[in-house]
């Protein structure tokens, strides 16, 4: 009966193909209906909030039903849900800050470099939480979620993905270890605390609570840079969890090259100078390296005494005015700007963006500047060398080397093929940081998180 055997074989093959096709289609339609709740402290303020918003938009554009849950809702967006508890939000924030303030012996030093998550909201009873298939934690500090609140989320049984915008999930209390290796074994006697913690070691107590909590549940961690991924994989707190890296997305339809002269006219910036840009949410944040920019510009002026005639510095961020008289080049403080169109104008108005951060993950600001075709200069630290390809789309200076930083600025402004740098900057962003490519990588992470939760039941 050879004819029957062939038919049976063809039938089996056809059923196998149809079965696989059905599974693929089922998976496709499942993910098109997947509901993701992204949890972040703020809707708009800060780099993590910007990144979370962009990811939400990217996911929704790729078939995933994504919403944000925030403590501080700032717009009328229907896809953003605000807790907006008024005095209660302030209470959670103040309770934690006061606890830290007392531990710092009432000194403001390190006051916002430490989070202990001793106060925050329980979000597990919210309708948005119950409806979500995936809980995606973003930056949840300063009174948004407490350790107890995070534990309740994990105890709920829902798959949890956690984007690391800094190292806090992998340490006890700090956001950036600044060379400290304690998180690789056990955080205790933290150097940020007077007396290194004393008899009641705050860092160790928070570490112990995190370790107990993380040890009981699986979390899919996503670092925004390869640098932070490697840091996280060395953490004794979370190294047993799945850890990968996915960059923040950017909308290249918004952040894109535009006419420089027109942008300067709208901002009231000089039309006849080459402009250096520095950006930070708070220009006074020493981690962002304004002091190094000041010193590097001093070196630039030493080498070119007439530099002030044809070079200036634009400063974007809170407290920008504080530095106007500290620079040896004409300075143009723009203050804090939240309007996205104006921010795009700022990037397009300048010739080089300089961010001499001492420790950073994968700065949105570098990505935004590059998307507008602006070459960037920064130190060789954190995720910055992953964004800036040395002498291809910008310049990576040796860490804390003021002379090399000055050389990088000079090279971009006067020596390099500027048109090529600009084109390569745009190409880097569209290739690696587009909304589509980033959202697809996150969907893959959600897929694995759901599968892990399914098979572990």
């Amino acid at each position: 009966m050879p004819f029957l055997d062939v038919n049976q074989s063809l039938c089996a093959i056809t059923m196998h193909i149809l079965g696989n096709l059905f599974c693929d289609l089922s998976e496709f339609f499942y993910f098109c209906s997947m509901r993701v709740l992204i949890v972040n402290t703020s809707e708009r303020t800060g780099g993590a909030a910007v990144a979370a918003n962009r990811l939400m938009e990217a996911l929704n554009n790729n078939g995933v039903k994504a919403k944000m849950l925030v403590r501080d809702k700032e717009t009328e967006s229907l896809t953003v849900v605000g807790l907006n508890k008024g005095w209660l939000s302030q209470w959670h924030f103040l309770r934690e800050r006061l606890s830290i303030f007392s531990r710092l012996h009432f000194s403001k030093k390190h006051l916002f470099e430490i989070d202990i998550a001793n106060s925050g909201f329980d979000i597990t009873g919210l309708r948005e939480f119950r409806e979500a298939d995936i809980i995606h934690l973003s930056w949840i500090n300063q009174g948004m979620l407490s350790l107890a609140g995070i534990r309740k989320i994990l105890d709920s049984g829902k798959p949890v993905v956690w984007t690391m915008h800094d190292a806090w999930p992998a340490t006890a209390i700090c956001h950036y270890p600044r060379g400290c290796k304690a998180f690789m074994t056990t955080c205790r006697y933290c150097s940020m605390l007077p007396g290194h913690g004393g008899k009641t070691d705050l860092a160790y107590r928070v570490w112990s609570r995190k370790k107990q909590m993380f040890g009981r549940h699986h979390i899919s961690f996503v670092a925004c840079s390869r640098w932070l991924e490697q840091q996280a994989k060395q953490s004794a707190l979370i190294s047993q969890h799945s850890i990968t890296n996915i960059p923040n997305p950017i909308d290249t339809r918004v952040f894109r090259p535009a006419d420089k002269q027109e942008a300067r006219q709208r901002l009231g910036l000089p039309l006849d100078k080459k402009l250096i840009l520095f950006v930070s949410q708070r220009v006074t944040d020493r981690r962002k390296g304004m002091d190094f920019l000041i010193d590097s510009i001093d070196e630039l002026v030493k080498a070119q005494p007439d530099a002030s005639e044809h070079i200036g510095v634009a400063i974007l961020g809170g407290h920008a005015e504080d530095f106007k008289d500290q620079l040896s080049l004409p300075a143009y403080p723009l203050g804090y700007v939240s309007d996205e169109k104006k921010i795009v104008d700022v990037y397009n108005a300048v010739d080089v963006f300089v961010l001499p951060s001492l420790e950073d993950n994968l700065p949105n600001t570098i990505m935004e500047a590059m998307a507008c075709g602006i070459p960037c200069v920064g130190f060789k630290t954190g995720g910055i060398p992953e964004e800036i390809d040395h002498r291809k789309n910008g310049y990576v200076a040796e860490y804390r080397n003021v002379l090399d930083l000055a050389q990088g600025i000079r090279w971009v402004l006067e020596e390099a093929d500027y048109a090529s740098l600009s084109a390569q900057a745009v190409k880097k962003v569209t290739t690696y940081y587009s909304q589509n490519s980033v959202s697809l990588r996150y969907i893959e992470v959600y897929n694995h998180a759901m599968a892990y939760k399914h098979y572990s039941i």
Side-chain angles (χ1 to χ4, degrees), residues 182-197:
F183 70 95
M184 298 180 184
T185 53
T186 304
C187 282
R188 61 196 320 162
Y189 309 124
C190 180
S191 61
M192 290 190 183
L193 299 172
H196 303 303

Side-chain angles (χ1 to χ4, degrees), residues 6-7 52 59 106-107 171 182 204 223 230 241 305-306 315 317 371 375 394 439 449 451:
V6 170
N7 278 345
L59 290 170
F106 304 102
S107 167
T171 71
Y204 181 69
Q230 292 307 311
H241 295 273
D306 64 341
I315 310 170
S439 62

Side-chain angles (χ1 to χ4, degrees), residues 137 147 150-151 154 160 162 167-172 206-219 221 235-241:
L137 303 182
L147 293 179
I150 296 170
R151 187 180 65 246
L154 296 172
V160 173
W162 194 337
W168 188 81
T171 71
V206 175
W207 173 275
S208 298
R209 289 188 65 188
K210 280 187 173 181
K211 189 168 181 63
Q212 182 183 37
M213 178 172 65
F214 291 161
R216 294 171 51 198
H217 300 281
H218 177 267
I219 304 171
F221 287 99
S235 168
L237 269 182
I238 65 172
S239 58
Q240 75 276 19
H241 295 273

Side-chain angles (χ1 to χ4, degrees), residues 227-367:
W227 166 77
L228 187 56
E229 178 190 13
Q230 292 307 311
Q231 294 271 302
K233 286 181 175 178
Q234 297 178 73
S235 168
L237 269 182
I238 65 172
S239 58
Q240 75 276 19
H241 295 273
S242 62
I243 305 171
T244 188
N245 79 84
I246 303 175
N248 295 326
I250 186 169
D251 190 344
T252 52
R253 297 167 301 177
V254 175
F255 289 88
R256 57 192 178 89
D259 186 271
K260 194 174 298 295
Q261 296 297 90
E262 290 180 5
R264 289 187 180 191
Q265 287 175 342
R266 284 191 288 268
L267 296 167
L269 291 172
L271 305 179
D272 59 346
K273 291 182 184 289
K274 292 184 177 180
L275 293 180
I276 300 165
L277 174 66
F278 177 88
V279 177
S280 177
Q281 184 180 347
R282 286 181 297 110
V283 180
T284 51
D285 184 350
R286 297 181 72 87
R287 181 175 60 85
K288 292 296 184 179
M290 183 54 154
D291 292 342
F292 285 86
L293 178 60
I294 292 170
D295 291 344
S296 70
I297 287 174
D298 286 343
E299 295 296 331
L300 200 66
V301 172
K302 283 181 188 177
Q304 297 177 261
D306 64 341
S308 61
E309 296 178 12
H310 56 90
I311 302 176
V313 182
I315 310 170
L316 179 64
H319 304 285
E321 283 281 352
D322 297 356
F323 295 89
K324 183 176 181 179
D325 298 325
Q326 297 184 39
L327 291 157
S328 51
L329 288 175
Y332 308 95
L334 300 169
Y336 180 79
V337 175
S338 58
D339 180 73
E340 195 170 59
K341 289 182 179 179
K342 189 172 181 180
I343 292 171
V344 173
D345 265 349
V346 172
Y347 287 121
N348 276 296
V350 303
D351 298 281
V352 61
F353 174 51
V354 183
L355 186 65
S357 285
L358 303 180
E359 197 168 18
D360 227 323
N361 187 6
L362 199 78
N364 288 331
T365 49
I366 289 180
M367 191 185 302

Side-chain angles (χ1 to χ4, degrees), residues 370 375-376 387-389 391-395 421 424-425 428:
M370 290 174 64
C376 299
E387 293 179 290
I388 305 173
D389 299 318
R391 290 181 177 266
K392 187 174 181 181
N393 53 36
Y395 191 98
L421 287 182
Q424 288 298 324
K428 177 69 177 279

